[in-house]
Amino acid sequence: MIFDPQYRKDNRAARVSMALFRMSQAIKKITQAESNALGFSPVQIQALLFIHYTRSDVATVGNFAHSIGTTHVTAVKIIEGLVKKGLMTKVQKPEDRRVTLLCLTSKGKETVSMLENWGHSLEETLRPISDEVLAKFELGLGAVISAMEKRGYLVVSEPCLGCIHFRPNTGDADTPHYCKLIEKYL
């Protein structure tokens, strides 16, 4: 029914969902092109960035799998490819040998430094849009993300708790935490 033009014309949620679908296709194309240019897949880049921006004590295979919304087995395959390239190592957690910690090698750290501009094409696409329009869009996207999370379609893995930029309990009662990356109280 969603592909029926009359249904979309009369249903805002259907029109927005179609727009989001098209945006997701474009974003996938953009990230794939940028990843290919660097010699990686988008999910390999996600793995490298996950390890770089996650505290070493919580940079585990399980947490990576959860953060990208995949199975443990799939996460292991992604990690193994990066281990073979010499970009990361796996070490058993001393307190719990069932847990595998992920660490970047020096080659992996060099690679991550080259990833600073990954995603820039999307940002450049949005740059000509006014701040006012982007602010409203950001608010709307927040609502969409929340709705997707509530239905179980989107995994929000509480990245702040393991993030190297997160500073817990440094603010007031309304915004108790601080993010050094975006320089904002949360």
Side-chain angles (χ1 to χ4, degrees):
M1 195 163 208
I2 194 166
F3 294 102
D4 174 17
Q6 186 61 39
Y7 178 77
R8 283 198 308 262
K9 180 180 169 195
D10 299 335
N11 185 322
R12 183 180 311 270
R15 290 192 311 270
V16 170
S17 67
M18 184 55 68
L20 287 171
F21 178 71
R22 287 185 161 175
M23 285 174 50
S24 73
Q25 290 175 313
I27 292 167
K28 182 178 179 181
K29 186 175 181 178
I30 289 168
T31 58
Q32 187 67 57
E34 287 187 14
S35 300
N36 288 348
L38 295 167
F40 297 100
S41 70
V43 75
Q44 287 177 317
I45 289 177
Q46 284 180 287
L48 292 167
L49 293 174
F50 169 82
I51 296 164
H52 178 70
Y53 288 110
T54 304
R55 287 191 341 250
S56 61
D57 61 321
V58 290
T60 66
V61 174
N63 285 339
F64 171 63
H66 187 70
S67 75
I68 65 168
T70 193
T71 64
H72 193 272
V73 172
T74 299
V76 167
K77 289 178 183 176
I78 295 163
I79 299 301
E80 285 301 322
L82 294 169
V83 168
K84 285 179 184 171
K85 288 184 177 194
L87 300 172
M88 67 175 60
T89 60
K90 300 184 309 179
V91 180
Q92 287 183 323
K93 192 173 187 177
E95 311 85 63
D96 187 350
R97 299 180 60 79
R98 297 170 298 170
V99 177
T100 302
L101 297 173
L102 305 170
C103 305
L104 291 173
T105 62
S106 57
K107 184 179 175 183
K109 290 175 185 175
E110 287 175 30
T111 300
V112 167
S113 70
M114 295 184 316
L115 299 177
E116 278 189 24
N117 290 326
W118 188 71
H120 74 280
S121 298
L122 182 57
E123 186 178 333
E124 287 174 10
T125 301
L126 298 174
R127 198 164 278 134
I129 301 171
S130 75
D131 281 346
E132 181 183 341
V133 170
L134 286 176
K136 290 177 182 176
F137 186 59
E138 183 178 23
L139 185 64
L141 284 176
V144 170
I145 288 168
S146 179
M148 290 179 149
E149 179 187 13
K150 286 177 185 169
R151 289 197 167 241
Y153 298 130
L154 181 67
V155 176
V156 177
S157 58
E158 300 193 32
C160 291
L161 296 178
C163 181
I164 60 172
H165 301 290
F166 183 66
R167 302 296 181 262
N169 306 313
T170 57
D172 58 25
D174 291 332
T175 53
H177 312 300
Y178 186 75
C179 175
K180 283 188 71 174
L181 179 65
I182 61 172
E183 298 178 349
K184 183 177 181 180
Y185 281 95
L186 312 168

mmCIF file with all atom_site columns, all heavy atoms in Angstrom, residues 145-171:
data_model
loop_
_atom_site.group_PDB
_atom_site.id
_atom_site.type_symbol
_atom_site.label_atom_id
_atom_site.label_alt_id
_atom_site.label_comp_id
_atom_site.label_asym_id
_atom_site.label_entity_id
_atom_site.label_seq_id
_atom_site.pdbx_PDB_ins_code
_atom_site.Cartn_x
_atom_site.Cartn_y
_atom_site.Cartn_z
_atom_site.occupancy
_atom_site.B_iso_or_equiv
_atom_site.pdbx_formal_charge
_atom_site.auth_seq_id
_atom_site.auth_comp_id
_atom_site.auth_asym_id
_atom_site.auth_atom_id
_atom_site.pdbx_PDB_model_num
ATOM 1   N N   . ILE A 1 145 ? 14.211 8.837  15.313 1.00 0.00 ? 145 ILE A N   1
ATOM 2   C CA  . ILE A 1 145 ? 15.145 7.906  15.947 1.00 0.00 ? 145 ILE A CA  1
ATOM 3   C C   . ILE A 1 145 ? 14.534 7.312  17.211 1.00 0.00 ? 145 ILE A C   1
ATOM 4   O O   . ILE A 1 145 ? 14.614 6.106  17.455 1.00 0.00 ? 145 ILE A O   1
ATOM 5   C CB  . ILE A 1 145 ? 16.491 8.595  16.249 1.00 0.00 ? 145 ILE A CB  1
ATOM 6   C CG1 . ILE A 1 145 ? 17.236 8.838  14.932 1.00 0.00 ? 145 ILE A CG1 1
ATOM 7   C CG2 . ILE A 1 145 ? 17.345 7.803  17.230 1.00 0.00 ? 145 ILE A CG2 1
ATOM 8   C CD1 . ILE A 1 145 ? 18.432 9.742  15.043 1.00 0.00 ? 145 ILE A CD1 1
ATOM 9   N N   . SER A 1 146 ? 13.895 8.138  17.996 1.00 0.00 ? 146 SER A N   1
ATOM 10  C CA  . SER A 1 146 ? 13.245 7.664  19.212 1.00 0.00 ? 146 SER A CA  1
ATOM 11  C C   . SER A 1 146 ? 12.145 6.649  18.892 1.00 0.00 ? 146 SER A C   1
ATOM 12  O O   . SER A 1 146 ? 12.027 5.611  19.553 1.00 0.00 ? 146 SER A O   1
ATOM 13  C CB  . SER A 1 146 ? 12.672 8.851  19.987 1.00 0.00 ? 146 SER A CB  1
ATOM 14  O OG  . SER A 1 146 ? 12.028 8.430  21.151 1.00 0.00 ? 146 SER A OG  1
ATOM 15  N N   . ALA A 1 147 ? 11.336 6.946  17.876 1.00 0.00 ? 147 ALA A N   1
ATOM 16  C CA  . ALA A 1 147 ? 10.262 6.022  17.488 1.00 0.00 ? 147 ALA A CA  1
ATOM 17  C C   . ALA A 1 147 ? 10.834 4.700  16.992 1.00 0.00 ? 147 ALA A C   1
ATOM 18  O O   . ALA A 1 147 ? 10.303 3.625  17.313 1.00 0.00 ? 147 ALA A O   1
ATOM 19  C CB  . ALA A 1 147 ? 9.383  6.671  16.412 1.00 0.00 ? 147 ALA A CB  1
ATOM 20  N N   . MET A 1 148 ? 11.922 4.757  16.222 1.00 0.00 ? 148 MET A N   1
ATOM 21  C CA  . MET A 1 148 ? 12.549 3.523  15.722 1.00 0.00 ? 148 MET A CA  1
ATOM 22  C C   . MET A 1 148 ? 13.138 2.710  16.861 1.00 0.00 ? 148 MET A C   1
ATOM 23  O O   . MET A 1 148 ? 13.068 1.481  16.866 1.00 0.00 ? 148 MET A O   1
ATOM 24  C CB  . MET A 1 148 ? 13.625 3.860  14.694 1.00 0.00 ? 148 MET A CB  1
ATOM 25  C CG  . MET A 1 148 ? 13.083 4.376  13.404 1.00 0.00 ? 148 MET A CG  1
ATOM 26  S SD  . MET A 1 148 ? 14.446 4.779  12.291 1.00 0.00 ? 148 MET A SD  1
ATOM 27  C CE  . MET A 1 148 ? 13.668 4.426  10.731 1.00 0.00 ? 148 MET A CE  1
ATOM 28  N N   . GLU A 1 149 ? 13.723 3.403  17.821 1.00 0.00 ? 149 GLU A N   1
ATOM 29  C CA  . GLU A 1 149 ? 14.308 2.717  18.975 1.00 0.00 ? 149 GLU A CA  1
ATOM 30  C C   . GLU A 1 149 ? 13.217 2.009  19.782 1.00 0.00 ? 149 GLU A C   1
ATOM 31  O O   . GLU A 1 149 ? 13.368 0.852  20.171 1.00 0.00 ? 149 GLU A O   1
ATOM 32  C CB  . GLU A 1 149 ? 15.047 3.716  19.850 1.00 0.00 ? 149 GLU A CB  1
ATOM 33  C CG  . GLU A 1 149 ? 15.669 3.086  21.080 1.00 0.00 ? 149 GLU A CG  1
ATOM 34  C CD  . GLU A 1 149 ? 16.264 4.110  22.021 1.00 0.00 ? 149 GLU A CD  1
ATOM 35  O OE1 . GLU A 1 149 ? 16.013 5.309  21.869 1.00 0.00 ? 149 GLU A OE1 1
ATOM 36  O OE2 . GLU A 1 149 ? 16.979 3.674  22.938 1.00 0.00 ? 149 GLU A OE2 1
ATOM 37  N N   . LYS A 1 150 ? 12.101 2.693  20.008 1.00 0.00 ? 150 LYS A N   1
ATOM 38  C CA  . LYS A 1 150 ? 11.004 2.106  20.788 1.00 0.00 ? 150 LYS A CA  1
ATOM 39  C C   . LYS A 1 150 ? 10.442 0.852  20.132 1.00 0.00 ? 150 LYS A C   1
ATOM 40  O O   . LYS A 1 150 ? 9.998  -0.061 20.810 1.00 0.00 ? 150 LYS A O   1
ATOM 41  C CB  . LYS A 1 150 ? 9.894  3.135  20.996 1.00 0.00 ? 150 LYS A CB  1
ATOM 42  C CG  . LYS A 1 150 ? 10.255 4.189  22.013 1.00 0.00 ? 150 LYS A CG  1
ATOM 43  C CD  . LYS A 1 150 ? 9.171  5.235  22.146 1.00 0.00 ? 150 LYS A CD  1
ATOM 44  C CE  . LYS A 1 150 ? 9.636  6.336  23.090 1.00 0.00 ? 150 LYS A CE  1
ATOM 45  N NZ  . LYS A 1 150 ? 8.753  7.489  23.064 1.00 0.00 ? 150 LYS A NZ  1
ATOM 46  N N   . ARG A 1 151 ? 10.460 0.799  18.810 1.00 0.00 ? 151 ARG A N   1
ATOM 47  C CA  . ARG A 1 151 ? 9.948  -0.372 18.093 1.00 0.00 ? 151 ARG A CA  1
ATOM 48  C C   . ARG A 1 151 ? 11.014 -1.459 17.920 1.00 0.00 ? 151 ARG A C   1
ATOM 49  O O   . ARG A 1 151 ? 10.742 -2.515 17.361 1.00 0.00 ? 151 ARG A O   1
ATOM 50  C CB  . ARG A 1 151 ? 9.401  0.029  16.745 1.00 0.00 ? 151 ARG A CB  1
ATOM 51  C CG  . ARG A 1 151 ? 8.115  0.807  16.869 1.00 0.00 ? 151 ARG A CG  1
ATOM 52  C CD  . ARG A 1 151 ? 7.427  0.805  15.547 1.00 0.00 ? 151 ARG A CD  1
ATOM 53  N NE  . ARG A 1 151 ? 6.080  1.277  15.696 1.00 0.00 ? 151 ARG A NE  1
ATOM 54  C CZ  . ARG A 1 151 ? 5.024  0.556  15.406 1.00 0.00 ? 151 ARG A CZ  1
ATOM 55  N NH1 . ARG A 1 151 ? 5.160  -0.670 14.979 1.00 0.00 ? 151 ARG A NH1 1
ATOM 56  N NH2 . ARG A 1 151 ? 3.826  1.060  15.526 1.00 0.00 ? 151 ARG A NH2 1
ATOM 57  N N   . GLY A 1 152 ? 12.232 -1.170 18.345 1.00 0.00 ? 152 GLY A N   1
ATOM 58  C CA  . GLY A 1 152 ? 13.289 -2.162 18.262 1.00 0.00 ? 152 GLY A CA  1
ATOM 59  C C   . GLY A 1 152 ? 14.018 -2.206 16.925 1.00 0.00 ? 152 GLY A C   1
ATOM 60  O O   . GLY A 1 152 ? 14.781 -3.123 16.659 1.00 0.00 ? 152 GLY A O   1
ATOM 61  N N   . TYR A 1 153 ? 13.796 -1.209 16.067 1.00 0.00 ? 153 TYR A N   1
ATOM 62  C CA  . TYR A 1 153 ? 14.444 -1.185 14.758 1.00 0.00 ? 153 TYR A CA  1
ATOM 63  C C   . TYR A 1 153 ? 15.815 -0.533 14.795 1.00 0.00 ? 153 TYR A C   1
ATOM 64  O O   . TYR A 1 153 ? 16.579 -0.655 13.845 1.00 0.00 ? 153 TYR A O   1
ATOM 65  C CB  . TYR A 1 153 ? 13.586 -0.430 13.742 1.00 0.00 ? 153 TYR A CB  1
ATOM 66  C CG  . TYR A 1 153 ? 12.238 -1.050 13.502 1.00 0.00 ? 153 TYR A CG  1
ATOM 67  C CD1 . TYR A 1 153 ? 11.084 -0.279 13.560 1.00 0.00 ? 153 TYR A CD1 1
ATOM 68  C CD2 . TYR A 1 153 ? 12.102 -2.406 13.217 1.00 0.00 ? 153 TYR A CD2 1
ATOM 69  C CE1 . TYR A 1 153 ? 9.840  -0.840 13.335 1.00 0.00 ? 153 TYR A CE1 1
ATOM 70  C CE2 . TYR A 1 153 ? 10.869 -2.970 13.010 1.00 0.00 ? 153 TYR A CE2 1
ATOM 71  C CZ  . TYR A 1 153 ? 9.741  -2.186 13.056 1.00 0.00 ? 153 TYR A CZ  1
ATOM 72  O OH  . TYR A 1 153 ? 8.518  -2.737 12.845 1.00 0.00 ? 153 TYR A OH  1
ATOM 73  N N   . LEU A 1 154 ? 16.100 0.165  15.840 1.00 0.00 ? 154 LEU A N   1
ATOM 74  C CA  . LEU A 1 154 ? 17.358 0.895  15.953 1.00 0.00 ? 154 LEU A CA  1
ATOM 75  C C   . LEU A 1 154 ? 17.979 0.572  17.299 1.00 0.00 ? 154 LEU A C   1
ATOM 76  O O   . LEU A 1 154 ? 17.297 0.632  18.322 1.00 0.00 ? 154 LEU A O   1
ATOM 77  C CB  . LEU A 1 154 ? 17.107 2.405  15.837 1.00 0.00 ? 154 LEU A CB  1
ATOM 78  C CG  . LEU A 1 154 ? 18.314 3.317  15.903 1.00 0.00 ? 154 LEU A CG  1
ATOM 79  C CD1 . LEU A 1 154 ? 19.195 3.100  14.684 1.00 0.00 ? 154 LEU A CD1 1
ATOM 80  C CD2 . LEU A 1 154 ? 17.866 4.762  15.949 1.00 0.00 ? 154 LEU A CD2 1
ATOM 81  N N   . VAL A 1 155 ? 19.233 0.226  17.274 1.00 0.00 ? 155 VAL A N   1
ATOM 82  C CA  . VAL A 1 155 ? 19.936 -0.087 18.509 1.00 0.00 ? 155 VAL A CA  1
ATOM 83  C C   . VAL A 1 155 ? 20.694 1.157  18.953 1.00 0.00 ? 155 VAL A C   1
ATOM 84  O O   . VAL A 1 155 ? 21.539 1.668  18.236 1.00 0.00 ? 155 VAL A O   1
ATOM 85  C CB  . VAL A 1 155 ? 20.934 -1.253 18.311 1.00 0.00 ? 155 VAL A CB  1
ATOM 86  C CG1 . VAL A 1 155 ? 21.729 -1.498 19.574 1.00 0.00 ? 155 VAL A CG1 1
ATOM 87  C CG2 . VAL A 1 155 ? 20.210 -2.495 17.870 1.00 0.00 ? 155 VAL A CG2 1
ATOM 88  N N   . VAL A 1 156 ? 20.334 1.657  20.109 1.00 0.00 ? 156 VAL A N   1
ATOM 89  C CA  . VAL A 1 156 ? 21.090 2.742  20.713 1.00 0.00 ? 156 VAL A CA  1
ATOM 90  C C   . VAL A 1 156 ? 21.827 2.108  21.876 1.00 0.00 ? 156 VAL A C   1
ATOM 91  O O   . VAL A 1 156 ? 21.233 1.687  22.854 1.00 0.00 ? 156 VAL A O   1
ATOM 92  C CB  . VAL A 1 156 ? 20.175 3.896  21.183 1.00 0.00 ? 156 VAL A CB  1
ATOM 93  C CG1 . VAL A 1 156 ? 20.998 4.971  21.863 1.00 0.00 ? 156 VAL A CG1 1
ATOM 94  C CG2 . VAL A 1 156 ? 19.416 4.470  20.001 1.00 0.00 ? 156 VAL A CG2 1
ATOM 95  N N   . SER A 1 157 ? 23.137 2.020  21.724 1.00 0.00 ? 157 SER A N   1
ATOM 96  C CA  . SER A 1 157 ? 23.929 1.227  22.667 1.00 0.00 ? 157 SER A CA  1
ATOM 97  C C   . SER A 1 157 ? 24.502 2.042  23.810 1.00 0.00 ? 157 SER A C   1
ATOM 98  O O   . SER A 1 157 ? 25.480 1.649  24.415 1.00 0.00 ? 157 SER A O   1
ATOM 99  C CB  . SER A 1 157 ? 25.054 0.540  21.901 1.00 0.00 ? 157 SER A CB  1
ATOM 100 O OG  . SER A 1 157 ? 25.845 1.499  21.265 1.00 0.00 ? 157 SER A OG  1
ATOM 101 N N   . GLU A 1 158 ? 23.893 3.160  24.107 1.00 0.00 ? 158 GLU A N   1
ATOM 102 C CA  . GLU A 1 158 ? 24.377 4.026  25.170 1.00 0.00 ? 158 GLU A CA  1
ATOM 103 C C   . GLU A 1 158 ? 25.875 4.265  25.029 1.00 0.00 ? 158 GLU A C   1
ATOM 104 O O   . GLU A 1 158 ? 26.666 3.940  25.897 1.00 0.00 ? 158 GLU A O   1
ATOM 105 C CB  . GLU A 1 158 ? 24.036 3.444  26.534 1.00 0.00 ? 158 GLU A CB  1
ATOM 106 C CG  . GLU A 1 158 ? 22.547 3.282  26.720 1.00 0.00 ? 158 GLU A CG  1
ATOM 107 C CD  . GLU A 1 158 ? 22.158 3.010  28.151 1.00 0.00 ? 158 GLU A CD  1
ATOM 108 O OE1 . GLU A 1 158 ? 22.838 3.500  29.058 1.00 0.00 ? 158 GLU A OE1 1
ATOM 109 O OE2 . GLU A 1 158 ? 21.170 2.319  28.331 1.00 0.00 ? 158 GLU A OE2 1
ATOM 110 N N   . PRO A 1 159 ? 26.258 4.836  23.877 1.00 0.00 ? 159 PRO A N   1
ATOM 111 C CA  . PRO A 1 159 ? 27.682 4.987  23.619 1.00 0.00 ? 159 PRO A CA  1
ATOM 112 C C   . PRO A 1 159 ? 28.399 5.895  24.602 1.00 0.00 ? 159 PRO A C   1
ATOM 113 O O   . PRO A 1 159 ? 29.585 5.747  24.805 1.00 0.00 ? 159 PRO A O   1
ATOM 114 C CB  . PRO A 1 159 ? 27.711 5.588  22.202 1.00 0.00 ? 159 PRO A CB  1
ATOM 115 C CG  . PRO A 1 159 ? 26.398 6.249  22.047 1.00 0.00 ? 159 PRO A CG  1
ATOM 116 C CD  . PRO A 1 159 ? 25.434 5.423  22.851 1.00 0.00 ? 159 PRO A CD  1
ATOM 117 N N   . CYS A 1 160 ? 27.688 6.809  25.223 1.00 0.00 ? 160 CYS A N   1
ATOM 118 C CA  . CYS A 1 160 ? 28.353 7.754  26.119 1.00 0.00 ? 160 CYS A CA  1
ATOM 119 C C   . CYS A 1 160 ? 29.078 7.045  27.263 1.00 0.00 ? 160 CYS A C   1
ATOM 120 O O   . CYS A 1 160 ? 30.172 7.452  27.639 1.00 0.00 ? 160 CYS A O   1
ATOM 121 C CB  . CYS A 1 160 ? 27.354 8.755  26.687 1.00 0.00 ? 160 CYS A CB  1
ATOM 122 S SG  . CYS A 1 160 ? 26.721 9.890  25.426 1.00 0.00 ? 160 CYS A SG  1
ATOM 123 N N   . LEU A 1 161 ? 28.492 6.019  27.802 1.00 0.00 ? 161 LEU A N   1
ATOM 124 C CA  . LEU A 1 161 ? 29.087 5.364  28.961 1.00 0.00 ? 161 LEU A CA  1
ATOM 125 C C   . LEU A 1 161 ? 30.478 4.814  28.685 1.00 0.00 ? 161 LEU A C   1
ATOM 126 O O   . LEU A 1 161 ? 31.318 4.774  29.565 1.00 0.00 ? 161 LEU A O   1
ATOM 127 C CB  . LEU A 1 161 ? 28.166 4.249  29.466 1.00 0.00 ? 161 LEU A CB  1
ATOM 128 C CG  . LEU A 1 161 ? 26.805 4.714  29.981 1.00 0.00 ? 161 LEU A CG  1
ATOM 129 C CD1 . LEU A 1 161 ? 25.968 3.517  30.404 1.00 0.00 ? 161 LEU A CD1 1
ATOM 130 C CD2 . LEU A 1 161 ? 26.958 5.697  31.128 1.00 0.00 ? 161 LEU A CD2 1
ATOM 131 N N   . GLY A 1 162 ? 30.731 4.408  27.459 1.00 0.00 ? 162 GLY A N   1
ATOM 132 C CA  . GLY A 1 162 ? 32.041 3.870  27.129 1.00 0.00 ? 162 GLY A CA  1
ATOM 133 C C   . GLY A 1 162 ? 32.913 4.818  26.337 1.00 0.00 ? 162 GLY A C   1
ATOM 134 O O   . GLY A 1 162 ? 34.018 4.473  25.974 1.00 0.00 ? 162 GLY A O   1
ATOM 135 N N   . CYS A 1 163 ? 32.415 5.998  26.076 1.00 0.00 ? 163 CYS A N   1
ATOM 136 C CA  . CYS A 1 163 ? 33.125 6.941  25.204 1.00 0.00 ? 163 CYS A CA  1
ATOM 137 C C   . CYS A 1 163 ? 34.251 7.654  25.944 1.00 0.00 ? 163 CYS A C   1
ATOM 138 O O   . CYS A 1 163 ? 34.114 8.036  27.110 1.00 0.00 ? 163 CYS A O   1
ATOM 139 C CB  . CYS A 1 163 ? 32.136 7.964  24.657 1.00 0.00 ? 163 CYS A CB  1
ATOM 140 S SG  . CYS A 1 163 ? 32.886 9.163  23.539 1.00 0.00 ? 163 CYS A SG  1
ATOM 141 N N   . ILE A 1 164 ? 35.344 7.880  25.239 1.00 0.00 ? 164 ILE A N   1
ATOM 142 C CA  . ILE A 1 164 ? 36.495 8.564  25.835 1.00 0.00 ? 164 ILE A CA  1
ATOM 143 C C   . ILE A 1 164 ? 36.210 10.041 26.088 1.00 0.00 ? 164 ILE A C   1
ATOM 144 O O   . ILE A 1 164 ? 36.922 10.685 26.852 1.00 0.00 ? 164 ILE A O   1
ATOM 145 C CB  . ILE A 1 164 ? 37.758 8.415  24.961 1.00 0.00 ? 164 ILE A CB  1
ATOM 146 C CG1 . ILE A 1 164 ? 37.549 8.996  23.565 1.00 0.00 ? 164 ILE A CG1 1
ATOM 147 C CG2 . ILE A 1 164 ? 38.207 6.970  24.894 1.00 0.00 ? 164 ILE A CG2 1
ATOM 148 C CD1 . ILE A 1 164 ? 38.797 9.052  22.703 1.00 0.00 ? 164 ILE A CD1 1
ATOM 149 N N   . HIS A 1 165 ? 35.174 10.588 25.488 1.00 0.00 ? 165 HIS A N   1
ATOM 150 C CA  . HIS A 1 165 ? 34.824 12.004 25.656 1.00 0.00 ? 165 HIS A CA  1
ATOM 151 C C   . HIS A 1 165 ? 33.810 12.240 26.779 1.00 0.00 ? 165 HIS A C   1
ATOM 152 O O   . HIS A 1 165 ? 33.531 13.371 27.126 1.00 0.00 ? 165 HIS A O   1
ATOM 153 C CB  . HIS A 1 165 ? 34.266 12.571 24.350 1.00 0.00 ? 165 HIS A CB  1
ATOM 154 C CG  . HIS A 1 165 ? 35.222 12.474 23.211 1.00 0.00 ? 165 HIS A CG  1
ATOM 155 N ND1 . HIS A 1 165 ? 36.366 13.227 23.128 1.00 0.00 ? 165 HIS A ND1 1
ATOM 156 C CD2 . HIS A 1 165 ? 35.219 11.685 22.104 1.00 0.00 ? 165 HIS A CD2 1
ATOM 157 C CE1 . HIS A 1 165 ? 37.021 12.919 22.027 1.00 0.00 ? 165 HIS A CE1 1
ATOM 158 N NE2 . HIS A 1 165 ? 36.355 11.990 21.393 1.00 0.00 ? 165 HIS A NE2 1
ATOM 159 N N   . PHE A 1 166 ? 33.250 11.183 27.320 1.00 0.00 ? 166 PHE A N   1
ATOM 160 C CA  . PHE A 1 166 ? 32.183 11.285 28.319 1.00 0.00 ? 166 PHE A CA  1
ATOM 161 C C   . PHE A 1 166 ? 32.738 11.595 29.702 1.00 0.00 ? 166 PHE A C   1
ATOM 162 O O   . PHE A 1 166 ? 33.673 10.951 30.168 1.00 0.00 ? 166 PHE A O   1
ATOM 163 C CB  . PHE A 1 166 ? 31.408 9.967  28.360 1.00 0.00 ? 166 PHE A CB  1
ATOM 164 C CG  . PHE A 1 166 ? 30.244 9.970  29.305 1.00 0.00 ? 166 PHE A CG  1
ATOM 165 C CD1 . PHE A 1 166 ? 29.150 10.785 29.082 1.00 0.00 ? 166 PHE A CD1 1
ATOM 166 C CD2 . PHE A 1 166 ? 30.233 9.135  30.411 1.00 0.00 ? 166 PHE A CD2 1
ATOM 167 C CE1 . PHE A 1 166 ? 28.056 10.775 29.938 1.00 0.00 ? 166 PHE A CE1 1
ATOM 168 C CE2 . PHE A 1 166 ? 29.144 9.115  31.274 1.00 0.00 ? 166 PHE A CE2 1
ATOM 169 C CZ  . PHE A 1 166 ? 28.062 9.941  31.040 1.00 0.00 ? 166 PHE A CZ  1
ATOM 170 N N   . ARG A 1 167 ? 32.151 12.611 30.351 1.00 0.00 ? 167 ARG A N   1
ATOM 171 C CA  . ARG A 1 167 ? 32.523 12.986 31.717 1.00 0.00 ? 167 ARG A CA  1
ATOM 172 C C   . ARG A 1 167 ? 31.271 12.902 32.584 1.00 0.00 ? 167 ARG A C   1
ATOM 173 O O   . ARG A 1 167 ? 30.433 13.808 32.557 1.00 0.00 ? 167 ARG A O   1
ATOM 174 C CB  . ARG A 1 167 ? 33.102 14.413 31.758 1.00 0.00 ? 167 ARG A CB  1
ATOM 175 C CG  . ARG A 1 167 ? 34.313 14.635 30.882 1.00 0.00 ? 167 ARG A CG  1
ATOM 176 C CD  . ARG A 1 167 ? 35.503 13.772 31.334 1.00 0.00 ? 167 ARG A CD  1
ATOM 177 N NE  . ARG A 1 167 ? 36.675 13.981 30.516 1.00 0.00 ? 167 ARG A NE  1
ATOM 178 C CZ  . ARG A 1 167 ? 37.037 13.198 29.506 1.00 0.00 ? 167 ARG A CZ  1
ATOM 179 N NH1 . ARG A 1 167 ? 36.316 12.173 29.166 1.00 0.00 ? 167 ARG A NH1 1
ATOM 180 N NH2 . ARG A 1 167 ? 38.143 13.444 28.825 1.00 0.00 ? 167 ARG A NH2 1
ATOM 181 N N   . PRO A 1 168 ? 31.120 11.809 33.340 1.00 0.00 ? 168 PRO A N   1
ATOM 182 C CA  . PRO A 1 168 ? 29.908 11.634 34.144 1.00 0.00 ? 168 PRO A CA  1
ATOM 183 C C   . PRO A 1 168 ? 29.873 12.548 35.366 1.00 0.00 ? 168 PRO A C   1
ATOM 184 O O   . PRO A 1 168 ? 30.912 12.903 35.927 1.00 0.00 ? 168 PRO A O   1
ATOM 185 C CB  . PRO A 1 168 ? 29.976 10.164 34.567 1.00 0.00 ? 168 PRO A CB  1
ATOM 186 C CG  . PRO A 1 168 ? 31.428 9.835  34.556 1.00 0.00 ? 168 PRO A CG  1
ATOM 187 C CD  . PRO A 1 168 ? 32.035 10.693 33.475 1.00 0.00 ? 168 PRO A CD  1
ATOM 188 N N   . ASN A 1 169 ? 28.673 12.924 35.739 1.00 0.00 ? 169 ASN A N   1
ATOM 189 C CA  . ASN A 1 169 ? 28.409 13.649 36.989 1.00 0.00 ? 169 ASN A CA  1
ATOM 190 C C   . ASN A 1 169 ? 29.268 14.901 37.174 1.00 0.00 ? 169 ASN A C   1
ATOM 191 O O   . ASN A 1 169 ? 29.818 15.134 38.247 1.00 0.00 ? 169 ASN A O   1
ATOM 192 C CB  . ASN A 1 169 ? 28.556 12.708 38.182 1.00 0.00 ? 169 ASN A CB  1
ATOM 193 C CG  . ASN A 1 169 ? 27.690 11.482 38.026 1.00 0.00 ? 169 ASN A CG  1
ATOM 194 O OD1 . ASN A 1 169 ? 26.513 11.591 37.685 1.00 0.00 ? 169 ASN A OD1 1
ATOM 195 N ND2 . ASN A 1 169 ? 28.262 10.317 38.237 1.00 0.00 ? 169 ASN A ND2 1
ATOM 196 N N   . THR A 1 170 ? 29.362 15.710 36.143 1.00 0.00 ? 170 THR A N   1
ATOM 197 C CA  . THR A 1 170 ? 30.136 16.948 36.248 1.00 0.00 ? 170 THR A CA  1
ATOM 198 C C   . THR A 1 170 ? 29.246 18.189 36.140 1.00 0.00 ? 170 THR A C   1
ATOM 199 O O   . THR A 1 170 ? 29.740 19.304 36.260 1.00 0.00 ? 170 THR A O   1
ATOM 200 C CB  . THR A 1 170 ? 31.213 17.028 35.145 1.00 0.00 ? 170 THR A CB  1
ATOM 201 O OG1 . THR A 1 170 ? 30.580 16.921 33.867 1.00 0.00 ? 170 THR A OG1 1
ATOM 202 C CG2 . THR A 1 170 ? 32.242 15.935 35.306 1.00 0.00 ? 170 THR A CG2 1
ATOM 203 N N   . GLY A 1 171 ? 27.939 17.976 35.917 1.00 0.00 ? 171 GLY A N   1
ATOM 204 C CA  . GLY A 1 171 ? 27.023 19.102 35.751 1.00 0.00 ? 171 GLY A CA  1
ATOM 205 C C   . GLY A 1 171 ? 26.035 19.212 36.894 1.00 0.00 ? 171 GLY A C   1
ATOM 206 O O   . GLY A 1 171 ? 26.297 18.776 38.016 1.00 0.00 ? 171 GLY A O   1
#
